[in-house]
Amino acid sequence: IIECEEATAMTDCIFCKIIEGQIPSAKVYEDEDVFAFLDITQVTPGHTLVIPKTHVANIFEYDEDLAAKVMTKLPKISRAVRRAFPDMLGLNILNNNGQAAGQTVFHSHIHLIPRYQGDSDGFGWSFADNSKSYTAEEFSARAAAIDSALAQEEEA
Ligand code: 5GP
Ligand code: ZN
């Protein structure tokens, strides 16, 4: 799935165009590495997207340096959103990777979704509890698979 999505050319990318100012946006923050602006849908009031200025399609394309540059900005932008929206009771930080995960724009972006009480809150998700549906062996095998894949990742 990921391969075909990565085909989005930078010249074709709406978020690259937003960074360049070719498409207008409600900018909330910008520095050398990062651009943040209001998501047009405003799932809840203050819903903000934080994007790297370097075009990467998804989390799988970040190197550690780019990840650090983007992720280290999240706490201060989050606190600014909270300060600007004092009714905010919580904040979900969400990053969709791949169509199957709900990604629709293939320039990586972090959603900051303020959470409120009552009708102004347009966000929902569910976490299934499948803890009854696997054996202890299957559970350990899943951890071992990721652990050994990580060793290969570090060799690469
Ligand atoms: P995804 O579904 O890929 O995680 O999120 C893409 C987000 O980009 C959506 O929430 C959508 O509302 C937002 N979006 C798409 N096009 C534009 C645009 O032109 N301007 C802004 N501000 N947001 C956009
Ligand atoms: Zn882009």
Side-chain angles (χ1 to χ4, degrees):
I1 300 165
I2 300 299
E3 281 79 31
C4 46
E5 288 160 1
E6 285 173 4
T8 310
M10 276 169 66
T11 49
D12 233 21
C13 171
I14 54 169
F15 285 178
C16 282
K17 287 184 178 146
I18 282 175
I19 293 164
E20 295 301 322
Q22 293 162 11
I23 293 176
S25 71
K27 180 170 88 173
V28 305
Y29 176 79
E30 180 175 13
D31 64 28
E32 222 178 285
D33 309 304
V34 163
F35 194 92
F37 57 106
L38 292 184
D39 190 299
I40 197 97
T41 58
Q42 292 292 284
V43 163
T44 65
H47 177 193
T48 295
L49 298 176
V50 181
I51 64 177
K53 285 189 170 174
T54 303
H55 179 98
V56 287
N58 53 49
I59 193 68
F60 307 108
E61 292 191 353
Y62 284 75
D63 61 22
E64 288 191 358
D65 181 52
L66 185 62
K69 283 174 171 161
V70 176
M71 306 306 165
T72 53
K73 310 300 164 35
L74 296 181
K76 74 175 172 191
I77 302 171
S78 297
R79 284 191 291 265
V81 172
R82 184 179 61 178
R83 194 186 289 273
F85 295 85
D87 293 343
M88 181 182 123
L89 299 175
L91 181 76
N92 288 106
I93 298 182
L94 188 66
N95 167 233
N96 300 328
N97 297 284
Q99 205 166 29
Q103 187 175 10
T104 60
V105 175
F106 298 97
H107 179 132
S108 178
H109 49 279
I110 318 287
H111 292 266
L112 306 183
I113 305 178
R115 303 303 304 277
Y116 302 92
Q117 227 151 28
D119 293 343
S120 60
D121 195 330
F123 181 73
W125 62 7
S126 69
F127 282 74
D129 178 2
N130 293 313
S131 58
K132 304 268 188 296
S133 73
Y134 55 79
T135 64
E137 291 72 28
E138 285 166 338
F139 193 64
S140 305
R142 289 176 191 178
I146 298 169
D147 186 52
S148 71
L150 208 42
Q152 283 172 279
E153 176 73 21
E154 259 141 42
E155 280 162 24

